[in-house]
Amino acid sequence: MKLAVFGASGPTGLQVVRQALAAGHDVCAVTRRPEAFPMHDPGLTVAAADVTDPRAVARATMGAEAVISTYGVPYGRKPISVYSDGARSIVAAMREHGGARLVCVSSTTLAGPLPVESWWWRTIVIPTLRQVVGRTLYDDMARMEAIVRASDLNWTIVRPGGLYDVDEPTGSVSVSNERLSGRYTARADLAHVLIAEASGTNSHPRQVVEAISATGPPSPLRTFWREAFGRR
């Protein structure tokens, strides 16, 4: 399958590209800095594009059978529009090219905490992320979801929990269109889910699904800090 991966230089995007190439897919890694992309493979093409540039996005998605969107930005106080602007560019490009499969990353934070969560998690952690530290980011992520949902594409929105790094998929990730217990998602697991959705191995067309790993990160506090203030 020919895949176009947006946000390919990010930590989740790199996992998607690596796993997709290992599975035998042809991959177009879309990044703003193609000269710095760290992988080389006969099945890999690296394309220069800013996701907010409709013409560049249209060129990068030409010929793709599926598009995986993993792009993101750090939290910030200024208004954020890259999620919604990028969604408009990708949706328009895919309509132009004939309706390939679209799979994009969002966040379980938009769904809010589960009632069974601890008082600290429900009243401190999630509200702080959603309404204070990450308010502008999650507001725009919600706009992105609305744009994708309103399209006539064959889309799936994947909402992971707090992301952490492991080298390989854990093999214990749950995916459901219902709420899942658990707070964290390994990026390697998320990449595996995104590829499975895009290729039809495990498909939830026109649905919002959660993806949660059974095991959590070594340090939940460090993960919270990195997701709140570090690179996404």
Side-chain angles (χ1 to χ4, degrees), residues 3 5 11-27 39 68 166-170 186-196:
L3 302 175
V5 180
T12 300
L14 288 170
Q15 278 278 0
V16 171
V17 173
R18 183 178 64 81
Q19 290 185 33
L21 290 171
H25 298 293
D26 292 325
V27 178
M39 295 184 200
I68 298 177
V166 293
D167 292 335
E168 300 292 337
T170 67
R187 282 192 171 90
D189 285 344
L190 175 57
H192 177 79
V193 170
L194 295 172
I195 295 167

Side-chain angles (χ1 to χ4, degrees), residues 133-221:
V133 177
R135 180 180 61 81
T136 56
L137 183 149
Y138 290 117
D139 283 351
D140 194 44
M141 192 175 281
R143 289 190 289 269
M144 174 196 74
E145 284 199 2
I147 291 166
V148 172
R149 289 189 200 214
S151 75
D152 56 359
L153 300 175
N154 182 14
W155 56 265
T156 299
I157 294 170
V158 179
R159 289 176 171 176
L163 294 168
Y164 68 100
D165 295 313
V166 293
D167 292 335
E168 300 292 337
T170 67
S172 59
V173 60
S174 297
V175 181
S176 177
N177 56 9
E178 298 182 357
R179 296 302 311 275
L180 294 172
S181 61
R183 300 171 180 172
Y184 303 102
T185 308
R187 282 192 171 90
D189 285 344
L190 175 57
H192 177 79
V193 170
L194 295 172
I195 295 167
E197 289 290 337
S199 64
T201 305
N202 183 29
S203 187
H204 296 81
R206 298 185 66 81
Q207 296 179 54
V208 178
V209 299
E210 295 190 0
I212 301 294
S213 298
T215 56
S219 171
L221 180 59

Side-chain angles (χ1 to χ4, degrees), residues 68-139:
I68 298 177
S69 172
T70 69
Y71 65 88
V73 294
Y75 296 133
R77 294 185 178 183
K78 295 181 179 179
I80 291 172
S81 63
V82 66
Y83 290 99
S84 54
D85 289 343
R88 291 187 188 94
S89 297
I90 292 173
V91 167
M94 293 178 68
R95 282 174 174 161
E96 178 183 343
H97 298 321
R101 181 89 167 94
L102 172 61
V103 183
C104 58
V105 176
S106 182
S107 172
T108 56
T109 302
L110 293 185
L114 290 163
V116 296
E117 284 285 7
S118 67
W119 176 89
W120 179 76
W121 197 261
R122 286 184 288 107
T123 62
I124 303 296
V125 175
I126 295 300
T128 298
L129 284 175
R130 178 65 181 91
Q131 302 297 339
V132 182
V133 177
R135 180 180 61 81
T136 56
L137 183 149
Y138 290 117
D139 283 351

